[in-house]
Amino acid sequence: MFYNAKEKKLNLYNTQIDTISFGSGKKKLIIIQGLNTRGIKGASVSLAHLYRLFAKEYTVYLFDRRPDVPEGMTVRDMASDVAAAMDALGITNADVFGVSQGGMIAQYLAIDRPDLVNKLVLAVTLSKNNPVVESTIEKWIALTEQGNMKELVEDMAIRMYSDAYVKRYRPFMPLLTVMQKPKDVKRFIKLARACLTCNAYEELHKIQCPVFVIGGQQDKVVGGIASSEIAEKLGCEIYMYEKLGHAAYEEAKDFNQRVFDFLMG
């Protein structure tokens, strides 16, 4: 099996959470992804390949959001779900790598369950609302409610990726519209709304573990300044890609290496 990649259902709260694991290391790494239109089911091989750098030192786990997202669910609620999943698997003192909405969740996980987090990476994320994220999420929700998936996928690409990247891959937009169309529209809207519930800034001082913040200065989804706010509040290490935006984790070839070096340091 590719990097020992496995998919299974985890029974939690009378429902089943899609879970992916890969790698063969003794250490545990929890990767919390951002807002996703499709979920992680069926993506074990592609995710193991994307994060293959971690597969030797770590056994890596990813947990999808619950399938039956309740109305008004917050990112703090999602952190409780991650904690419950870790408890169910007997995972403690793991390294945690949160991307975008996953970074919001990771902050609350470190605040509310410090026993679960050894080191923390907060990538292209925020700790409190700002006009950039509010306009972004409101537009994505509106386009989804209108059923305008073509414009939704295009807007996501334009806001996430660099201009050069968008120009290079624009011919593939029709294919992306099909591939990235939300499987469950109502669920996607609830998850998107949850992005606007992150208000961890005033509680960041409760995070006691080492933290590394990494982001893109040109971020059009949460704003580049959001990463700086977190690092300044925590007094922690930060690296910003000057010419990249929200998808720096995909575009920057050295992104995972920087995360890996921090976790190994």
Side-chain angles (χ1 to χ4, degrees):
M1 188 65 71
F2 193 79
Y3 294 105
N4 199 31
K6 302 173 183 175
E7 295 192 24
K8 71 174 187 177
K9 300 281 188 180
L10 183 63
N11 294 316
L12 208 64
Y13 304 137
N14 297 316
T15 189
Q16 292 187 317
I17 306 294
D18 285 314
T19 304
I20 287 174
S21 65
F22 62 88
S24 56
K26 293 182 179 180
K27 295 182 178 182
K28 300 294 190 291
L29 175 64
I30 309 299
I31 297 179
I32 311 176
Q33 289 191 299
L35 178 65
N36 194 310
T37 59
R38 306 293 286 177
I40 66 174
K41 185 178 180 180
S44 58
V45 172
S46 60
L47 287 170
H49 179 72
L50 177 62
Y51 296 113
R52 62 192 179 278
L53 177 62
F54 303 96
K56 184 177 179 180
E57 294 290 334
Y58 289 97
T59 298
V60 182
Y61 295 86
L62 296 96
F63 309 113
D64 205 347
R65 315 296 192 255
R66 60 170 71 185
D68 52 338
V69 179
E71 198 69 50
M73 191 175 197
T74 68
V75 286
R76 193 167 213 155
D77 295 331
M78 294 175 189
S80 294
D81 283 0
V82 173
M86 293 176 70
D87 287 340
L89 295 174
I91 300 172
T92 60
N93 201 37
D95 290 337
V96 177
F97 174 14
V99 181
S100 192
Q101 187 185 68
M104 303 175 198
I105 295 167
Q107 291 169 64
Y108 281 116
L109 183 68
I111 290 167
D112 296 337
R113 290 293 305 274
D115 59 306
L116 299 180
V117 186
N118 177 52
K119 285 187 175 183
L120 180 64
V121 177
L122 301 175
V124 292
T125 193
L126 51 71
S127 59
K128 59 182 179 181
N129 279 357
N130 60 53
V132 177
V133 72
E134 288 173 354
S135 64
T136 297
I137 296 301
E138 287 169 4
K139 183 168 184 178
W140 289 354
I141 289 173
L143 290 172
T144 305
E145 289 176 334
Q146 295 163 12
N148 192 341
M149 299 307 162
K150 179 177 181 294
E151 191 171 341
L152 172 67
V153 172
E154 286 186 357
D155 193 75
M156 282 182 156
I158 290 168
R159 289 177 189 260
M160 289 180 64
Y161 296 94
S162 65
D163 292 343
Y165 189 97
V166 172
K167 183 178 180 179
R168 189 182 314 133
Y169 289 98
R170 186 171 288 280
F172 300 99
M173 284 296 181
L175 178 61
L176 285 175
T177 300
V178 175
M179 293 175 62
Q180 297 301 320
K181 179 182 177 181
K183 284 185 178 180
D184 184 332
V185 169
K186 291 182 179 179
R187 180 175 181 270
F188 175 74
I189 290 172
K190 291 175 184 176
L191 292 175
R193 285 204 176 102
C195 290
L196 302 179
T197 67
C198 186
N199 193 25
Y201 183 78
E202 296 300 335
E203 294 186 75
L204 289 178
H205 67 278
K206 296 179 182 178
I207 298 177
Q208 299 301 310
C209 65
V211 182
F212 176 42
V213 174
I214 182 168
Q217 201 66 54
Q218 307 304 318
D219 197 319
K220 300 172 186 174
V221 176
V222 300
I225 194 173
S227 292
S228 301
E229 287 175 341
I230 296 171
E232 288 173 11
K233 184 76 170 178
L234 289 171
C236 68
E237 183 181 349
I238 182 172
Y239 184 85
M240 296 294 290
Y241 291 94
E242 292 294 329
K243 297 182 179 180
L244 296 179
H246 198 68
Y249 60 93
E250 286 189 26
E251 290 193 66
K253 294 181 179 179
D254 63 347
F255 193 95
N256 285 345
Q257 187 65 57
R258 290 183 182 278
V259 173
F260 183 79
D261 289 347
F262 166 74
L263 294 176
M264 291 294 104

